[in-house]
Amino acid sequence: MDLVLKREYAILHPDFEEETSTSNPIQVRPHNLRALSHMRQLDPLKIDTLISLRGMIVRTSPLIPDLKIGAFRCTICHHLIETLIDHGHIAEPTLCPNCNTKRSYRLLHNRCTFANKQMIRLQETPDEIPPGETPIGIVLFGYDDLVESVRPGDRMEITGVLRAMPRRVHPRISKCKSVFKTYLDVIYFQNLGASGQKEGLGKRTDDGGFSEERIREMKALSRMPDVYERLVEALAPSIWELEDVKKGVLCMLFGGRNNDTVPATLNTPTTTTITDDEGELTTAPPVKRAFHKRGDINILLCGDPGTSKSQLLSYVHKLSPRGVYTSGKGSSAVGLTASVVRDPETRELVLESGALVLSDKGICCIDEFDKMSEGTRAILHEAMEQHTVSVAKAGILASLHARTSILASANPIDSRYNPRKTVVENIQLPPTLLSRFDLIYLILDHPNIERDRRLANHLVGLYYETPTVVTPRIPQILLKDYIAYARDTIVPELSDLATQTLISGYLEMRRLGHSQRSGTGTISATPRQLESLIRLSEGLAKMRLSTEVTRSDAHEALRLMKVATQAAATDPRTGRIDMDMIATGRAQVERQSREGLNTALKEL
Amino acid sequence: VFIMACFSEDSLAAKHVEVPHRQSVNQSMSPNPSIESILEKVKAGNFNAITVDEISLFQKESFKQSVPFLDNHFWRQSDKEVKNNTKGSLVRYVGMVYDMHDPEYYEGKYANKYRDYDYCYNMDETNAVVDKELGMRLPIVIVPIPEISDWSRSEMVGVKMEPESLGNSENLSFATIGDNNEKKRSSSLNMNEQDQNSNFSNDNPSIRRQRPRHNSKGAKIDYSNTNQSSRASFPSSLLDCSVLAKFYGADNAAEPPRHPKINELVEIFGITHNDPTEAEFQPVKAKELANISANIVPVDNDNNTTSHDDNVFSFDEFQSCLPDVPALPPPSVMPRVHVIHFNPIKSRDSLFVKEPSSIPNESDYTDDRLFCINAFSSILENDKVAGEALLLALLSTGEPSKAIVPGGSGLLGTTSLNLSIENKEKIKVIGKGLKKYLGQIEPNLVTLPFSKTLLNDGNLLPPTKQGNESCSNSPLQLPRGSTVILEQSSPTPGRGTEKINPTGQKSVSAIQSMMKCNAIPYHFGLYDLDFEADYRCVVLTTILPLDKPSNIANSCMMTMRILSTHDSSATQVHNLFESHTLQKVRNYLSKCRLVGSIALSDRQVCNSAEAEFVKRRKSHVGATSVNPVEEEDLHRWFTLARLEARSRACPFVTVQDWNRALLLDDAMKGSLK
């Protein structure tokens, strides 16, 4: 196909010089094949045919020079001959036509022509692996401009030709075994991004990877008046109550709108041809920092033990595309970011991605957040606001994307939540980190007879022969697809009415601090809260697959914010909402009393 | 100028592919399927002629016993018919699925079926695939069941252990193993290089053969040497070897081979292939074998029990007791078995139950239950509560459920027991007694000593697999229904004060997940995958759970402190190790475990549970209680009640079970105060 296209191009452009470049300037790259093959079901009949596979890149080799044209020189008369490689074999000239000497040729390495080649290992993604089995993989060979175009951790759809090659008994012995090794000669890399998890939905289409039937089903769901309630009901149905927490988590799953126009180029050499998220091959411009407004919502669940926090985290990470679950206690800074390890196969130093990098464009669930070490927490400052993590180890300097929402859970330092203390005092988290959470939920376990009775009834019902768990009206797989579809395709805009509502709501929150106290007021809302409100309302609009954020979305966002903030940022001494407690770790009253004390001491 | 042209498939002409004619499988009916007919075909190398009828014979118990069992003894038996057969032998093997490799493509879909490979001289590599019929098979590593006890092995394998034969190496002739063709061996080949799944390592001369790790029969594996470099090794024992089994798919359908899952127990029937041309025949002495990894313990023939040393890591003293035995098959080559048929072993307990002559009534179970509690409490310082708790822990078995416990692994009914013991000396004594007794009544018992040093050194890391490498040898990879004793060992001198490093934290989190969620995260390069870990865990520690809430032991469902009683009325059990007593206990435990899912159908129990929960919650209102009643408590009570029902082999929970569960729970909580 390359040749045909080249000829056609030469006819159209007579000035096109075919031999100017050693690499092939015109290449045909078929992709989007109708059928997608599965690594476990690669029928031997597919050998030497064009196939398409999905998986995760787990390892890349360094660049391998691949001999294309061999240059031989006669040792007697210095006659030079160039020979093209054919199917991996090079025919060494045996007789010199100049001096008629036999077997006098020697290969000149510096006159040979080499092409770039890279060996890549593709492995099944976790969602594709059948239960109780280990992942399988396949080796890919990328050539020329496909070299260094993928990184470990990328979820790709690969189009290429499946090859099989007999195994030699020994590399230096021509005897072969009747066992073949298989590999794929890559023709096209397509980055799947977060939507790489859409599978098992029949024939794929270009519309976000879902079939038309599935999209119709999702749109029908979005038009239902009670879609919000249905989604809440479908989220972790076995976890009792916690409706508002579930609503906040849903907003996080759908996410706000990421205002980031710079393509994924941070780690890519500036001159290389890369594949961006849309699957198009583009030449990356030099890295430049555009204005970036995060759309990902971070949530902290804080409260008494045994209140289903961990269960909720465990549920969310399974539901979310690219969800990663980690425990703060067992995590180190490198475990969250990236570590430099020696590849056991190639013996090269490679970056092994950590939880935050692996959950790029997904959700990172961190349990026992309070038990994280200081060093590890420091990493999160950059990741939660800038959405990158920087690595400087073993001579490798890299800035990796970590566009992830963080759902964290923390237990109070005294095991039980002490209502007489502030949130910061209870969970001992630095305020700089705490203020980066959009929603902070306090989940407290207060014994209450009526509530306990209902809880007992619910728990006992789970143990019946036919458990009395309410079957959600939205099946799990549909919920998963719905979230993935909304995240990928819906970009909501704030309507004028919603903007006005948000502004007035924000001003109201600000006024709350002033109105409650004469003189210097407490800070009951900061611009960070306004940004959070926008993200929440955008998430709510996405739940309806709507491209417009309505007034009701804004109202609901304000309500969610109030529910979360009210509990978390209420000063136990005054009973008022004080954002200073979260932003600085000290309540306004405490600060004032300290200032008063300082002044008094100075006067003395 | 760089022009890229991208076409969708629609615009491309479909590539014409010559579809080779698929031969029909040998579906023909054999007139009289028999072992003889199969053996004849195997002897003649005519594997493809084995019919469907003949394969169905492999399910018959009587037939199984007539197929030779593949163990280390198999390779040195004197039967020339077997060992001189260059085509391979029909064998049976029982083990645990340990690792899976990438599918393997082989030439001659029908001609080479059930053969590892043929050699092809002067094969044109460039056009190798043209006009050839390729078949696909799945190589799976199967290893001997880790830490299997002697009696359990005899029941499962059907072959009696012959320890004395290990020392008899005079009949051994390496030249006659498998293939009679003794050729110059290529010693640089390792297991991976022989199969197709070694694309990366093929060109890498730095990767060389590694010896397999061994563990002796009935002895503990030495995990102190487990490290990242031992990935290419597999557990084996002096009696049993690991095998690389190759599973084939249906011939007439393009579907992947049917195969068992990871950690499943399986019985396979297949044809061996062990090419000595690729093996290194350095005779490995047992002493050397011990040096490789194992802690080999001499067998005490008097009472037919295996005595374990207290310190698993000091095995030097045992080396002098060992006979010089060659390790067969050669450690450089793992035997291949081409699987004709396999039977998954879903429940080991069904193999162990010896049916009595009459149907037992409930009182029989009550007697057995009482006997077990007395027996266990006599090991646990006559603490009846601990005895009952241990019985329930040993009876617990995972029941698949629709994730009743939120966030749980989907298993219901499993439990783990934490026994807080006064001091480390007592841990040693109690641990020794437990290991000795449970080793006789449990199918496989694994003892994992845990300390900061061991955790930090990565000895308790969950299995790790990167790329096409083999799974790392992890002590946490066990079959369903294994019993694990986690014993807090004394710290290594001079190394007891360090903090737990990230490696140790990974191990801690894996162990916690094992006890709490019955799942262990296996690490596969860039992501972790949870694998079911339905193990019965008993933790022996000196730490009270309330002292250190983050301690491993706190992840256990049942926690209690052993209170030694010197009650003269306590029933002393003196005949613990008598064979009929042991058989009685094994029988009782297996029968109770076989009951299946325990239902909660009695409304009275549900009402009692609701009322009790509300009542106990209410009692904590206003109190600044350290231990308030939570959701988890109710789940624990239900689990205990279900286990109480199981201990009577009853498939449903009664009010008595519920009350007994609450009493036990209160007694356990009381012991901690």
Side-chain angles (χ1 to χ4, degrees):
Chain A
M1 285 194 289
D2 288 353
L3 286 172
V4 172
L5 191 68
K6 208 187 289 179
R7 276 183 209 144
E8 289 298 315
Y9 188 79
I11 294 166
L12 292 171
H13 302 273
D15 54 337
F16 172 66
E17 289 181 20
E18 201 175 313
E19 303 299 329
T20 49
S21 171
T22 50
S23 62
N24 200 351
I26 300 177
Q27 291 173 0
V28 182
R29 297 258 161 101
H31 63 284
N32 280 343
L33 302 193
R34 278 184 197 149
L36 188 69
S37 302
H38 196 280
M39 262 183 256
R40 285 181 190 268
Q41 291 165 358
L42 280 182
D43 193 282
L45 293 178
K46 288 186 177 166
I47 286 169
D48 282 342
T49 61
L50 194 69
I51 61 163
S52 193
L53 287 174
R54 276 186 178 189
M56 182 192 276
I57 306 290
V58 290
R59 195 161 290 166
T60 55
S61 75
L63 191 142
I64 303 165
D66 192 28
L67 187 68
K68 289 288 174 197
I69 301 169
F72 293 89
R73 179 185 279 169
C74 175
T75 48
I76 310 296
C77 66
H78 290 207
H79 180 251
L80 197 73
I81 288 182
E82 286 191 342
T83 317
L84 277 169
I85 195 160
D86 182 26
H87 287 88
H89 282 262
I90 193 151
E92 184 185 342
T94 50
L95 180 71
C96 176
N98 197 28
C99 61
N100 280 334
T101 317
K102 284 183 180 176
R103 301 192 181 280
S104 61
Y105 278 97
R106 276 180 70 182
L107 186 73
L108 292 179
H109 288 283
N110 54 348
R111 300 290 292 270
C112 293
T113 307
F114 293 90
N116 290 343
K117 179 180 171 184
Q118 190 179 28
M119 187 150 52
I120 300 155
R121 188 164 174 88
L122 185 78
Q123 192 168 288
E124 283 178 305
T125 48
D127 49 292
E128 284 177 336
I129 302 165
E133 296 195 24
T134 56
I136 61 164
I138 189 169
V139 167
L140 316 174
F141 283 107
Y143 298 93
D144 302 325
D145 52 297
L146 293 177
V147 171
E148 294 292 344
S149 60
V150 290
R151 296 187 306 270
D154 287 348
R155 287 170 191 236
M156 310 294 283
E157 184 172 310
I158 319 287
T159 308
V161 181
L162 181 68
R163 307 276 190 202
M165 205 172 156
R167 294 194 66 81
R168 286 186 173 203
V169 174
H170 191 275
R172 293 184 182 176
I173 301 172
S174 63
K175 192 166 78 168
C176 292
K177 293 175 186 174
S178 56
V179 175
F180 292 77
K181 67 174 176 183
T182 48
Y183 60 92
L184 201 73
D185 278 336
V186 182
I187 292 174
Y188 194 79
F189 282 121
Q190 189 168 11
N191 198 334
L192 294 171
S195 62
Q197 305 229 356
K198 296 169 190 169
E199 84 294 333
L201 301 170
K203 211 172 86 172
R204 299 174 310 114
T205 67
D206 288 337
D207 198 355
F210 293 102
S211 64
E212 281 177 15
E213 193 187 337
R214 195 62 160 184
I215 291 169
R216 265 201 304 276
E217 199 179 347
M218 288 190 281
K219 285 188 174 163
L221 174 65
S222 71
R223 283 192 290 271
M224 288 181 182
D226 59 344
V227 60
Y228 186 37
E229 286 72 29
R230 280 174 184 251
L231 289 170
V232 174
E233 179 191 288
L235 184 75
S238 58
I239 295 174
W240 193 66
E241 288 190 341
L242 303 179
E243 295 296 313
D244 283 327
V245 179
K246 286 185 186 176
K247 283 176 181 171
V249 169
L250 262 183
C251 286
M252 184 192 69
L253 281 166
F254 283 88
R257 180 185 161 186
N258 266 315
N259 281 358
D260 187 3
T261 49
V262 178
T265 59
L266 276 179
N267 309 319
T268 315
T270 51
T271 52
T272 316
T273 302
I274 61 148
T275 309
D276 66 8
D277 291 339
E278 281 69 48
E280 298 301 324
L281 286 165
T282 56
T283 302
V287 176
K288 57 182 176 187
R289 294 271 187 180
F291 169 72
H292 172 77
K293 185 176 86 65
R294 74 172 161 101
D296 300 299
I297 296 164
N298 300 320
I299 294 180
L300 174 69
L301 310 178
C302 168
D304 293 327
T307 44
S308 306
K309 297 189 299 294
S310 302
Q311 285 87 341
L312 192 61
L313 258 67
S314 163
Y315 186 90
V316 167
H317 104 89
K318 284 175 191 157
L319 189 69
S320 150
R322 303 202 74 165
V324 175
Y325 179 90
T326 182
S327 172
K329 201 167 77 181
S331 299
S332 58
V334 289
L336 281 181
T337 57
S339 53
V340 179
V341 294
R342 193 171 288 281
D343 189 313
E345 287 174 352
T346 60
R347 314 306 300 165
E348 295 286 323
L349 285 175
V350 290
L351 271 181
E352 193 174 274
S353 305
L356 287 172
V357 180
L358 288 176
S359 60
D360 183 31
K361 293 188 175 177
I363 290 171
C364 184
C365 299
I366 308 176
D367 205 356
E368 302 191 60
F369 196 67
D370 53 311
K371 293 181 185 66
M372 206 174 255
S373 66
E374 285 298 317
T376 316
R377 279 181 197 157
I379 300 292
L380 288 169
H381 285 99
E382 182 191 354
M384 287 175 77
E385 208 59 51
Q386 312 304 323
H387 276 174
T388 56
V389 287
S390 304
V391 181
K393 285 189 187 77
I396 296 177
L397 300 171
S399 185
L400 305 166
H401 278 305
R403 294 159 292 188
T404 174
S405 294
I406 289 177
L407 176 64
S409 81
N411 287 323
I413 199 87
D414 301 326
S415 190
R416 310 288 302 178
Y417 194 86
N418 188 344
R420 285 187 287 273
K421 289 182 181 173
T422 63
V423 177
V424 178
E425 286 164 347
N426 261 303
I427 53 176
Q428 296 281 310
L429 276 177
T432 46
L433 197 57
L434 212 55
S435 62
R436 281 170 163 80
F437 285 101
D438 299 274
L439 296 173
I440 300 171
Y441 284 104
L442 283 187
I443 308 174
L444 305 181
D445 185 20
H446 293 307
N448 172 298
I449 294 177
E450 196 43 48
R451 187 185 163 276
D452 290 346
R453 202 181 299 281
R454 279 186 283 132
L455 173 63
N457 197 280
H458 168 77
L459 295 179
V460 170
L462 296 174
Y463 283 88
Y464 290 158
E465 272 177 310
T466 44
T468 55
V469 182
V470 181
T471 312
R473 286 172 285 178
I474 302 175
Q476 187 78 5
I477 183 76
L478 179 60
L479 176 67
K480 201 173 173 180
D481 291 347
Y482 192 82
I483 291 169
Y485 180 73
R487 275 182 82 98
D488 282 0
T489 54
I490 308 296
V491 185
E493 297 275 355
L494 282 171
S495 67
D496 292 344
L497 277 175
T499 312
Q500 282 170 17
T501 312
L502 286 176
I503 291 170
S504 59
Y506 174 67
L507 291 175
E508 184 63 32
M509 283 166 75
R510 292 279 294 179
R511 266 199 298 277
L512 206 63
H514 288 281
S515 61
Q516 282 176 348
R517 187 183 171 88
S518 55
T520 52
T522 53
I523 298 168
S524 52
T526 63
R528 267 195 174 152
Q529 271 69 56
L530 181 58
E531 284 182 4
S532 300
L533 284 172
I534 295 169
R535 282 191 282 270
L536 288 170
S537 49
E538 283 170 349
L540 287 162
K542 278 188 179 181
M543 282 184 214
R544 293 180 287 105
L545 300 186
S546 165
T547 51
E548 190 184 50
V549 179
T550 61
R551 198 175 180 175
S552 61
D553 294 330
H555 277 302
E556 178 63 10
L558 280 161
R559 193 192 69 81
L560 286 174
M561 173 66 80
K562 205 175 167 188
V563 169
T565 320
Q566 238 174 11
T570 304
D571 186 350
R573 278 155 288 213
T574 60
R576 285 192 296 273
I577 296 173
D578 186 355
M579 286 314 293
D580 264 6
M581 286 193 343
I582 289 171
T584 65
R586 280 188 199 140
Q588 200 260 348
V589 176
E590 192 188 340
R591 209 174 52 237
Q592 275 182 347
S593 60
R594 280 190 181 221
E595 278 169 11
L597 184 67
N598 275 344
T599 319
L601 284 172
K602 276 178 190 171
E603 281 174 2
L604 281 172
Chain B
V1 178
F2 197 94
I3 302 168
M4 193 67 57
C6 298
F7 293 91
S8 68
E9 196 191 28
D10 295 340
S11 59
L12 301 172
K15 183 175 176 180
H16 177 71
V17 182
E18 280 288 337
V19 180
H21 173 66
R22 283 177 181 272
Q23 292 178 25
S24 63
V25 203
N26 204 340
Q27 300 279 3
S28 60
M29 296 294 178
S30 182
N32 285 316
S34 64
I35 176 77
E36 288 76 22
S37 62
I38 299 174
L39 287 173
E40 260 180 39
K41 286 171 187 174
V42 171
K43 194 177 169 185
N46 193 14
F47 308 128
N48 201 34
I50 298 171
T51 61
V52 178
D53 274 3
E54 285 166 337
I55 288 173
S56 66
L57 282 176
F58 293 118
Q59 291 167 351
K60 292 184 181 171
E61 200 60 41
S62 55
F63 177 85
K64 286 178 187 176
Q65 299 304 325
S66 51
V67 181
F69 186 77
L70 177 64
D71 53 7
N72 287 340
H73 183 65
F74 171 84
W75 301 105
R76 66 185 104 103
Q77 57 189 302
S78 56
D79 184 2
K80 288 185 180 176
E81 285 290 321
V82 174
K83 64 184 185 182
N84 288 347
N85 191 349
T86 55
K87 307 287 184 189
S89 308
L90 182 71
V91 291
R92 186 167 70 92
Y93 182 84
V94 174
M96 179 186 85
V97 176
Y98 184 81
D99 193 12
M100 288 178 180
H101 292 294
D102 294 348
E104 184 177 276
Y105 293 84
Y106 65 98
E107 185 202 327
K109 189 168 182 177
Y110 301 100
N112 275 336
K113 195 174 179 184
Y114 305 129
R115 284 185 179 88
D116 216 49
Y117 47 78
D118 282 340
Y119 291 118
C120 314
Y121 293 91
N122 303 320
M123 181 186 271
D124 183 3
E125 290 178 62
T126 55
N127 294 310
V129 185
V130 180
D131 297 333
K132 302 231 181 287
E133 274 196 322
L134 293 189
M136 186 172 72
R137 58 195 179 197
L138 189 68
I140 291 180
V141 178
I142 304 181
V143 300
I145 300 167
E147 312 293 334
I148 188 168
S149 50
D150 301 354
W151 66 271
S152 163
R153 186 182 182 277
S154 303
E155 296 286 348
M156 292 184 72
V157 170
V159 177
K160 290 281 177 196
M161 193 180 281
E162 294 172 24
E164 60 281 359
S165 68
L166 290 169
N168 184 11
S169 57
E170 57 194 27
N171 293 332
L172 188 73
S173 169
F174 287 111
T176 54
I177 297 164
D179 197 332
N180 218 13
N181 243 346
E182 193 177 14
K183 297 171 186 173
K184 190 180 177 182
R185 59 192 77 102
S186 56
S187 60
S188 65
L189 293 172
N190 68 359
M191 193 283 293
N192 277 337
E193 286 174 339
Q194 292 175 39
D195 296 287
Q196 87 103 26
N197 48 16
S198 60
N199 295 294
F200 266 100
S201 59
N202 188 34
D203 304 322
N204 188 351
S206 67
I207 296 174
R208 292 294 178 213
R209 176 185 62 256
Q210 288 172 324
R211 285 185 186 282
R213 302 181 68 78
H214 292 67
N215 72 287
S216 69
K217 54 171 185 55
K220 290 165 280 188
I221 305 172
D222 173 17
Y223 298 115
S224 64
N225 289 335
T226 310
N227 54 35
Q228 296 296 311
S229 65
S230 62
R231 282 194 188 119
S233 58
F234 303 101
S236 57
S237 71
L238 277 179
L239 279 174
D240 294 312
C241 55
S242 305
V243 298
L244 184 67
K246 300 196 175 180
F247 289 79
Y248 292 79
D251 289 326
N252 51 0
E255 61 181 41
R258 206 169 66 84
H259 58 273
K261 310 279 182 198
I262 287 283
N263 299 344
E264 256 187 17
L265 298 179
V266 68
E267 179 185 47
I268 57 172
F269 295 89
I271 293 155
T272 56
H273 177 101
N274 195 25
D275 192 343
T277 58
E278 293 179 339
E280 186 180 42
F281 289 102
Q282 290 295 328
V284 178
K285 309 283 182 184
K287 283 178 192 172
E288 193 184 338
L289 207 66
N291 275 330
I292 294 170
S293 65
N295 170 28
I296 298 167
V297 186
V299 175
D300 180 2
N301 287 322
D302 293 339
N303 57 6
N304 198 23
T305 57
T306 308
S307 59
H308 299 274
D309 185 60
D310 298 329
N311 185 353
V312 289
F313 301 128
S314 59
F315 47 81
D316 291 349
E317 58 192 279
F318 296 111
Q319 291 186 22
S320 57
C321 320
L322 295 169
D324 288 346
V325 289
L328 281 174
S332 56
V333 169
M334 177 181 274
R336 272 77 167 144
V337 176
H338 294 266
V339 179
I340 295 174
H341 178 78
F342 74 94
N343 299 320
I345 303 172
K346 294 287 177 198
S347 166
R348 278 187 281 181
D349 293 309
S350 57
L351 302 172
F352 304 146
V353 170
K354 305 287 176 217
E355 281 302 325
S357 52
S358 60
I359 299 165
N361 54 33
E362 197 170 308
S363 64
D364 290 338
Y365 287 111
T366 314
D367 291 345
D368 288 345
R369 182 179 185 278
L370 205 61
F371 178 82
C372 283
I373 292 173
N374 286 334
F376 294 149
S377 59
S378 67
I379 301 166
L380 303 171
E381 304 219 311
N382 289 327
D383 189 331
K384 282 280 172 62
V385 178
E388 189 177 352
L390 181 60
L391 171 68
L392 297 192
L394 293 181
L395 283 180
S396 73
T397 178
E399 303 164 18
S401 73
K402 292 173 187 172
I404 282 182
V405 183
S409 62
L411 285 179
L412 184 66
T414 52
T415 185
S416 46
L417 171 66
N418 169 31
L419 295 172
S420 264
I421 299 166
E422 209 174 313
N423 54 45
K424 283 184 179 168
E425 288 307 311
K426 276 196 175 174
I427 286 191
K428 220 172 182 182
V429 176
I430 291 175
K432 196 173 176 180
L434 268 183
K435 278 179 264 174
K436 190 173 176 184
Y437 192 58
L438 297 189
Q440 292 301 312
I441 58 169
E442 286 297 310
N444 64 320
L445 174 74
V446 181
T447 307
L448 302 177
F450 75 91
S451 65
K452 279 180 189 170
T453 314
L454 287 173
L455 291 170
N456 288 349
D457 292 349
N459 296 316
L460 298 178
L461 272 176
T464 303
K465 181 174 177 167
Q466 300 220 336
N468 60 339
E469 287 179 348
S470 304
C471 249
S472 66
N473 194 354
S474 166
L476 299 181
Q477 190 173 358
L478 300 167
R480 186 186 163 95
S482 299
T483 308
V484 179
I485 296 181
L486 278 160
E487 187 183 325
Q488 188 191 39
S489 62
S490 52
T492 311
R495 290 194 65 189
T497 53
E498 74 264 53
K499 285 185 176 176
I500 294 180
N501 64 18
T503 312
Q505 282 168 347
K506 270 186 195 171
S507 306
V508 169
S509 127
I511 293 170
Q512 282 179 330
S513 163
M514 174 178 91
M515 293 195 289
K516 234 174 177 173
C517 310
N518 303 110
I520 291 179
Y522 289 19
H523 184 65
F524 294 105
L526 297 178
Y527 50 81
D528 289 354
L529 281 181
D530 279 349
F531 278 75
E532 186 189 297
D534 180 16
Y535 311 150
R536 301 164 190 125
C537 297
V538 180
V539 183
L540 305 177
T541 175
T542 52
I543 304 162
L544 268 178
L546 297 178
D547 296 345
K548 285 189 178 177
S550 59
N551 193 273
I552 286 179
N554 244 11
S555 306
C556 291
M557 182 174 261
M558 294 190 282
T559 297
M560 65 169 298
R561 189 177 183 85
I562 290 186
L563 303 169
S564 53
T565 53
H566 302 288
D567 184 6
S568 56
S569 64
T571 318
Q572 292 295 321
V573 184
H574 299 289
N575 54 353
L576 276 181
F577 291 97
E578 281 179 15
S579 60
H580 73 277
T581 320
L582 290 171
Q583 187 56 48
K584 183 180 164 184
V585 176
R586 286 173 203 156
N587 211 23
Y588 165 69
L589 292 175
S590 297
K591 272 183 183 169
C592 291
R593 285 173 193 152
L594 279 175
V595 167
S597 204
I598 309 281
L600 195 74
S601 49
D602 191 346
R603 286 279 163 178
Q604 209 183 335
V605 176
C606 301
N607 294 340
S608 305
E610 273 183 44
E612 196 66 39
F613 181 72
V614 175
K615 192 177 122 194
R616 294 195 179 207
R617 289 270 297 174
K618 195 179 164 186
S619 66
H620 285 281
V621 173
T624 51
S625 170
V626 186
N627 228 349
V629 176
E630 293 163 357
E631 245 185 87
E632 276 180 22
D633 293 291
L634 188 62
H635 288 304
R636 187 178 62 252
W637 298 337
F638 273 124
T639 305
L640 291 179
R642 290 154 58 87
L643 288 173
E644 289 285 358
R646 186 178 288 282
S647 72
R648 296 183 299 107
C650 180
F652 53 86
V653 180
T654 60
V655 180
Q656 286 76 24
D657 294 322
W658 171 257
N659 290 335
R660 221 180 283 158
L662 284 183
L663 277 176
L664 178 67
D665 193 59
D666 288 343
M668 287 195 292
K669 271 191 177 170
S671 70
L672 295 171
K673 284 177 183 169

